């Protein structure tokens, strides 16, 4: 017989939870998890880290949940670039003001990624 590799060493995740009991869990399932054939799928590739999640509706990229402020800023610059008429310094100030609106929605969390 051969193991299916279904069990996950959760010691790192357990440590994160014990050391950060106030943090919520955010769980992302990778593209290889989805199946029309089953109601649930066991994941064999599971990783966890402490990070930030942008927890609000946004129009920068409605299909994306941001876990990186720099990535969000880059996409925001692209998204708003056509709307702005001014020089580079003014654009930087404009973007900085836009980013401030999102500050309250960046939530620290234990982020779990599961895939196959």
């Amino acid at each position: 017989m051969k193991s299916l590799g279904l069990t996950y060493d959760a010691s790192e995740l357990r440590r994160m939870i014990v050391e950060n009991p106030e943090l919520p869990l955010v769980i992302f399932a990778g593209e290889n998890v989805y199946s029309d054939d089953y109601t649930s799928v066991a994941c064999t590739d599971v990783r966890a880290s402490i990070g930030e999640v942008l927890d609000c509706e946004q129009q920068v990229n409605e299909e994306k949940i941001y876990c990186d402020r720099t990535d969000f800023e880059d996409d925001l610059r692209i998204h708003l670039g056509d709307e702005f008429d001014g020089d580079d310094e003014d654009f930087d100030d404009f973007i900085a003001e836009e980013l401030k609106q999102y500050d309250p929605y960046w939530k620290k969390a234990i982020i779990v990624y599961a895939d196959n």
Side-chain angles (χ1 to χ4, degrees), residues 90-103:
D90 290 339
F91 185 62
D92 289 343
D93 293 341
F94 173 70
I95 291 297
E97 288 301 313
E98 288 292 317
L99 289 170
K100 283 182 188 176
Q101 296 178 42
Y102 292 95
D103 281 345

PDB file of all heavy atoms in Angstrom, residues 90-103:
ATOM      1  N   ASP A  90       2.501  64.740  -8.706  1.00  0.00           N
ATOM      2  CA  ASP A  90       1.091  64.876  -8.334  1.00  0.00           C
ATOM      3  C   ASP A  90       0.386  63.522  -8.358  1.00  0.00           C
ATOM      4  O   ASP A  90      -0.478  63.253  -7.518  1.00  0.00           O
ATOM      5  CB  ASP A  90       0.379  65.842  -9.281  1.00  0.00           C
ATOM      6  CG  ASP A  90       0.825  67.298  -9.094  1.00  0.00           C
ATOM      7  OD1 ASP A  90       1.360  67.615  -8.011  1.00  0.00           O
ATOM      8  OD2 ASP A  90       0.634  68.091 -10.028  1.00  0.00           O
ATOM      9  N   PHE A  91       0.758  62.679  -9.300  1.00  0.00           N
ATOM     10  CA  PHE A  91       0.163  61.341  -9.372  1.00  0.00           C
ATOM     11  C   PHE A  91       0.541  60.523  -8.137  1.00  0.00           C
ATOM     12  O   PHE A  91      -0.307  59.830  -7.560  1.00  0.00           O
ATOM     13  CB  PHE A  91       0.597  60.622 -10.661  1.00  0.00           C
ATOM     14  CG  PHE A  91      -0.068  59.289 -10.857  1.00  0.00           C
ATOM     15  CD1 PHE A  91      -1.438  59.193 -11.005  1.00  0.00           C
ATOM     16  CD2 PHE A  91       0.685  58.128 -10.910  1.00  0.00           C
ATOM     17  CE1 PHE A  91      -2.062  57.963 -11.191  1.00  0.00           C
ATOM     18  CE2 PHE A  91       0.086  56.891 -11.096  1.00  0.00           C
ATOM     19  CZ  PHE A  91      -1.304  56.811 -11.245  1.00  0.00           C
ATOM     20  N   ASP A  92       1.801  60.622  -7.706  1.00  0.00           N
ATOM     21  CA  ASP A  92       2.239  59.920  -6.491  1.00  0.00           C
ATOM     22  C   ASP A  92       1.435  60.379  -5.281  1.00  0.00           C
ATOM     23  O   ASP A  92       1.020  59.563  -4.449  1.00  0.00           O
ATOM     24  CB  ASP A  92       3.732  60.135  -6.246  1.00  0.00           C
ATOM     25  CG  ASP A  92       4.606  59.401  -7.246  1.00  0.00           C
ATOM     26  OD1 ASP A  92       4.112  58.482  -7.921  1.00  0.00           O
ATOM     27  OD2 ASP A  92       5.799  59.764  -7.355  1.00  0.00           O
ATOM     28  N   ASP A  93       1.196  61.690  -5.172  1.00  0.00           N
ATOM     29  CA  ASP A  93       0.397  62.229  -4.067  1.00  0.00           C
ATOM     30  C   ASP A  93      -1.048  61.738  -4.159  1.00  0.00           C
ATOM     31  O   ASP A  93      -1.659  61.389  -3.142  1.00  0.00           O
ATOM     32  CB  ASP A  93       0.426  63.761  -4.068  1.00  0.00           C
ATOM     33  CG  ASP A  93       1.806  64.324  -3.747  1.00  0.00           C
ATOM     34  OD1 ASP A  93       2.641  63.584  -3.182  1.00  0.00           O
ATOM     35  OD2 ASP A  93       2.039  65.502  -4.074  1.00  0.00           O
ATOM     36  N   PHE A  94      -1.583  61.717  -5.363  1.00  0.00           N
ATOM     37  CA  PHE A  94      -2.947  61.237  -5.604  1.00  0.00           C
ATOM     38  C   PHE A  94      -3.086  59.776  -5.172  1.00  0.00           C
ATOM     39  O   PHE A  94      -4.024  59.404  -4.476  1.00  0.00           O
ATOM     40  CB  PHE A  94      -3.275  61.418  -7.093  1.00  0.00           C
ATOM     41  CG  PHE A  94      -4.574  60.816  -7.523  1.00  0.00           C
ATOM     42  CD1 PHE A  94      -5.784  61.349  -7.115  1.00  0.00           C
ATOM     43  CD2 PHE A  94      -4.579  59.708  -8.365  1.00  0.00           C
ATOM     44  CE1 PHE A  94      -6.981  60.787  -7.526  1.00  0.00           C
ATOM     45  CE2 PHE A  94      -5.771  59.139  -8.783  1.00  0.00           C
ATOM     46  CZ  PHE A  94      -6.986  59.685  -8.367  1.00  0.00           C
ATOM     47  N   ILE A  95      -2.119  58.952  -5.559  1.00  0.00           N
ATOM     48  CA  ILE A  95      -2.142  57.527  -5.200  1.00  0.00           C
ATOM     49  C   ILE A  95      -2.012  57.364  -3.684  1.00  0.00           C
ATOM     50  O   ILE A  95      -2.717  56.544  -3.083  1.00  0.00           O
ATOM     51  CB  ILE A  95      -1.030  56.750  -5.936  1.00  0.00           C
ATOM     52  CG1 ILE A  95      -1.326  56.676  -7.439  1.00  0.00           C
ATOM     53  CG2 ILE A  95      -0.848  55.355  -5.357  1.00  0.00           C
ATOM     54  CD1 ILE A  95      -2.596  55.925  -7.805  1.00  0.00           C
ATOM     55  N   ALA A  96      -1.147  58.144  -3.060  1.00  0.00           N
ATOM     56  CA  ALA A  96      -0.978  58.063  -1.605  1.00  0.00           C
ATOM     57  C   ALA A  96      -2.295  58.358  -0.885  1.00  0.00           C
ATOM     58  O   ALA A  96      -2.648  57.676   0.084  1.00  0.00           O
ATOM     59  CB  ALA A  96       0.121  59.023  -1.143  1.00  0.00           C
ATOM     60  N   GLU A  97      -3.032  59.332  -1.370  1.00  0.00           N
ATOM     61  CA  GLU A  97      -4.332  59.656  -0.776  1.00  0.00           C
ATOM     62  C   GLU A  97      -5.339  58.531  -0.997  1.00  0.00           C
ATOM     63  O   GLU A  97      -6.118  58.197  -0.104  1.00  0.00           O
ATOM     64  CB  GLU A  97      -4.877  60.979  -1.332  1.00  0.00           C
ATOM     65  CG  GLU A  97      -4.146  62.194  -0.825  1.00  0.00           C
ATOM     66  CD  GLU A  97      -4.194  62.316   0.695  1.00  0.00           C
ATOM     67  OE1 GLU A  97      -5.284  62.168   1.289  1.00  0.00           O
ATOM     68  OE2 GLU A  97      -3.132  62.551   1.298  1.00  0.00           O
ATOM     69  N   GLU A  98      -5.328  57.961  -2.174  1.00  0.00           N
ATOM     70  CA  GLU A  98      -6.227  56.836  -2.460  1.00  0.00           C
ATOM     71  C   GLU A  98      -5.912  55.650  -1.561  1.00  0.00           C
ATOM     72  O   GLU A  98      -6.809  54.996  -1.033  1.00  0.00           O
ATOM     73  CB  GLU A  98      -6.114  56.420  -3.932  1.00  0.00           C
ATOM     74  CG  GLU A  98      -6.721  57.389  -4.912  1.00  0.00           C
ATOM     75  CD  GLU A  98      -8.234  57.467  -4.815  1.00  0.00           C
ATOM     76  OE1 GLU A  98      -8.886  56.409  -4.683  1.00  0.00           O
ATOM     77  OE2 GLU A  98      -8.757  58.593  -4.859  1.00  0.00           O
ATOM     78  N   LEU A  99      -4.620  55.355  -1.376  1.00  0.00           N
ATOM     79  CA  LEU A  99      -4.212  54.227  -0.544  1.00  0.00           C
ATOM     80  C   LEU A  99      -4.646  54.401   0.905  1.00  0.00           C
ATOM     81  O   LEU A  99      -4.997  53.421   1.576  1.00  0.00           O
ATOM     82  CB  LEU A  99      -2.699  54.029  -0.621  1.00  0.00           C
ATOM     83  CG  LEU A  99      -2.165  53.479  -1.942  1.00  0.00           C
ATOM     84  CD1 LEU A  99      -0.646  53.556  -1.976  1.00  0.00           C
ATOM     85  CD2 LEU A  99      -2.643  52.055  -2.168  1.00  0.00           C
ATOM     86  N   LYS A 100      -4.635  55.644   1.402  1.00  0.00           N
ATOM     87  CA  LYS A 100      -5.039  55.903   2.787  1.00  0.00           C
ATOM     88  C   LYS A 100      -6.472  55.436   3.049  1.00  0.00           C
ATOM     89  O   LYS A 100      -6.791  55.011   4.158  1.00  0.00           O
ATOM     90  CB  LYS A 100      -4.914  57.389   3.109  1.00  0.00           C
ATOM     91  CG  LYS A 100      -3.510  57.850   3.349  1.00  0.00           C
ATOM     92  CD  LYS A 100      -3.497  59.329   3.697  1.00  0.00           C
ATOM     93  CE  LYS A 100      -2.089  59.861   3.743  1.00  0.00           C
ATOM     94  NZ  LYS A 100      -2.064  61.320   3.993  1.00  0.00           N
ATOM     95  N   GLN A 101      -7.318  55.510   2.032  1.00  0.00           N
ATOM     96  CA  GLN A 101      -8.709  55.098   2.197  1.00  0.00           C
ATOM     97  C   GLN A 101      -8.824  53.601   2.507  1.00  0.00           C
ATOM     98  O   GLN A 101      -9.799  53.167   3.112  1.00  0.00           O
ATOM     99  CB  GLN A 101      -9.512  55.409   0.939  1.00  0.00           C
ATOM    100  CG  GLN A 101      -9.620  56.873   0.637  1.00  0.00           C
ATOM    101  CD  GLN A 101     -10.383  57.111  -0.642  1.00  0.00           C
ATOM    102  OE1 GLN A 101     -11.397  56.466  -0.906  1.00  0.00           O
ATOM    103  NE2 GLN A 101      -9.901  58.036  -1.452  1.00  0.00           N
ATOM    104  N   TYR A 102      -7.835  52.835   2.088  1.00  0.00           N
ATOM    105  CA  TYR A 102      -7.868  51.379   2.278  1.00  0.00           C
ATOM    106  C   TYR A 102      -7.189  50.928   3.568  1.00  0.00           C
ATOM    107  O   TYR A 102      -7.342  49.769   3.961  1.00  0.00           O
ATOM    108  CB  TYR A 102      -7.219  50.680   1.074  1.00  0.00           C
ATOM    109  CG  TYR A 102      -8.026  50.823  -0.184  1.00  0.00           C
ATOM    110  CD1 TYR A 102      -7.755  51.829  -1.100  1.00  0.00           C
ATOM    111  CD2 TYR A 102      -9.077  49.961  -0.456  1.00  0.00           C
ATOM    112  CE1 TYR A 102      -8.507  51.970  -2.255  1.00  0.00           C
ATOM    113  CE2 TYR A 102      -9.834  50.083  -1.606  1.00  0.00           C
ATOM    114  CZ  TYR A 102      -9.543  51.100  -2.503  1.00  0.00           C
ATOM    115  OH  TYR A 102     -10.300  51.234  -3.642  1.00  0.00           O
ATOM    116  N   ASP A 103      -6.454  51.819   4.226  1.00  0.00           N
ATOM    117  CA  ASP A 103      -5.707  51.435   5.433  1.00  0.00           C
ATOM    118  C   ASP A 103      -6.550  50.700   6.477  1.00  0.00           C
ATOM    119  O   ASP A 103      -6.108  49.693   7.018  1.00  0.00           O
ATOM    120  CB  ASP A 103      -5.019  52.644   6.063  1.00  0.00           C
ATOM    121  CG  ASP A 103      -3.735  53.028   5.353  1.00  0.00           C
ATOM    122  OD1 ASP A 103      -3.221  52.214   4.553  1.00  0.00           O
ATOM    123  OD2 ASP A 103      -3.241  54.148   5.590  1.00  0.00           O
TER     124      ASP A 103
END
